[in-house]
Amino acid sequence: MGIAENIEKLERSIGEYAHRAGVRRDEITVVAVSKTHPTPTVKQAYDAGFRIFGENKVQELIGKAPELPGDIRWNFIGRLQTNKVKYIIDGKIALLHSLDRLSLLEELSRQCQKTDTQLDALVQLNIAKEETKAGLDPAGLDSFLGETAKHPRIRIKGLMTIGPNVEDEGQIRRVFAQAKQIYDKYAAQLDGFEYLSMGMTHDYGLAVLEGSNMLRIGSAIFGERTYL
Ligand SMILES: *Cc1c(COP(=O)(O)O)cnc(C)c1O
């Protein structure tokens, strides 16, 4: 199937899940995860209407972005090493999904200060408690958000989490439901706290049903990734 058909099918499916969840389709943002795909392929998704793209490697992002239209809002969704922060600050990314530790917060803040810029970011939570997954322990979220208040150039826009890598839909939904509960608590208190980024190709339907409003979708748009 081509990208246009993939997108059509995906749109229909998200629409159905949104309906079941009792939300409007336009309340859900889709980040098209373009990692590993060459720019002509990414451009096809752009031409089909996507404007928000997600990458998980700094080198790949800064290589691709100049070759693609300037109105793309690049989202960074992967683990970000502090020594790479300087390459993506200064307007190169619209949203960081993976703020997960104090040292990263401090380096982001320092670089934003240096370049007189601001950055929107989501705090990544590790709710599934899988060792392979990055993310802050939810128990530390309260004090972490307290720290972020000392760094006004970093604007916290919400939370991100990755569902557990299991078959059991109940287990996946419980993780998403927990994220939603935490999200709701802070969304009620904090200005501009408006995104709950959860759901990928294999679990976005469950994520929408549990209240996600931001999906990060790669394979369902671009097809399977082949790593060289
Ligand atoms: C690759 C990736 C995605 C998209 O994965 P698909 O299964 O292709 O939809 C979403 N989120 C993160 C953090 C990723 O690294």
Side-chain angles (χ1 to χ4, degrees):
M1 252 198 323
I3 286 178
E5 290 107 301
N6 287 349
I7 292 171
E8 212 173 293
K9 192 168 150 227
L10 175 67
E11 272 305 320
R12 220 176 309 122
S13 168
I14 294 174
E16 284 166 15
Y17 280 109
H19 182 74
R20 279 175 62 189
V23 297
R24 293 193 320 271
R25 165 64 188 89
D26 67 6
E27 293 176 81
I28 300 168
T29 299
V30 177
V31 178
V33 177
S34 50
K35 66 189 187 195
T36 77
H37 298 289
T39 49
T41 309
V42 183
K43 182 65 165 43
Q44 287 180 49
Y46 177 89
D47 291 337
F50 282 103
R51 291 296 179 270
I52 307 176
F53 289 86
E55 290 284 340
N56 70 341
K57 296 216 161 64
V58 169
Q59 288 312 319
E60 192 175 345
L61 171 69
I62 59 182
K64 268 177 184 172
E67 297 175 8
L68 284 153
D71 63 341
I72 288 179
R73 295 197 297 283
W74 293 99
N75 283 205
F76 194 82
I77 63 171
R79 185 174 167 82
L80 181 57
Q81 292 170 259
T82 42
N83 63 357
K84 300 241 169 102
V85 165
K86 56 181 177 287
Y87 302 114
I88 57 145
I89 227 70
D90 205 0
K92 289 203 179 56
I93 60 169
L95 184 66
L96 171 70
H97 290 234
S98 48
L99 175 54
D100 63 352
R101 58 196 192 279
L102 205 54
S103 57
L104 181 57
L105 172 69
E106 288 167 351
E107 177 62 7
L108 289 166
S109 180
R110 206 173 69 84
Q111 293 291 341
C112 278
Q113 204 133 15
K114 228 168 118 175
T115 53
D116 192 20
T117 53
Q118 297 191 310
L119 179 72
D120 287 351
L122 308 179
V123 177
Q124 180 175 355
L125 291 183
N126 183 357
I127 291 174
K129 299 270 160 56
E130 288 179 306
E131 302 221 334
T132 52
K133 292 210 176 25
L136 191 78
D137 182 337
L141 180 59
D142 219 68
S143 78
F144 188 78
L145 289 174
E147 289 297 321
T148 65
K150 300 177 192 161
H151 300 274
R153 288 175 182 273
I154 311 303
R155 298 178 300 209
I156 305 299
K157 304 292 287 182
L159 301 175
M160 182 274 235
T161 200
I162 299 176
N165 192 11
V166 296
E167 294 290 321
D168 181 3
E169 293 199 348
Q171 199 179 331
I172 299 170
R173 286 189 73 151
R174 279 193 293 281
V175 165
F176 287 161
Q178 219 177 316
K180 168 71 165 147
Q181 199 176 22
I182 299 168
Y183 167 78
D184 281 343
K185 176 180 157 192
Y186 290 101
Q189 299 171 14
L190 301 174
D191 241 17
F193 202 91
E194 57 186 328
Y195 295 117
L196 178 56
S197 167
M198 60 185 191
M200 314 173 25
T201 291
H202 68 283
D203 59 12
Y204 68 83
L206 303 176
V208 169
L209 293 176
E210 295 299 343
S212 170
N213 63 14
M214 186 172 261
L215 309 175
R216 308 176 310 270
I217 299 187
S219 320
I221 295 171
F222 296 104
E224 290 299 317
R225 283 178 293 276
T226 47
Y227 290 96
L228 295 175

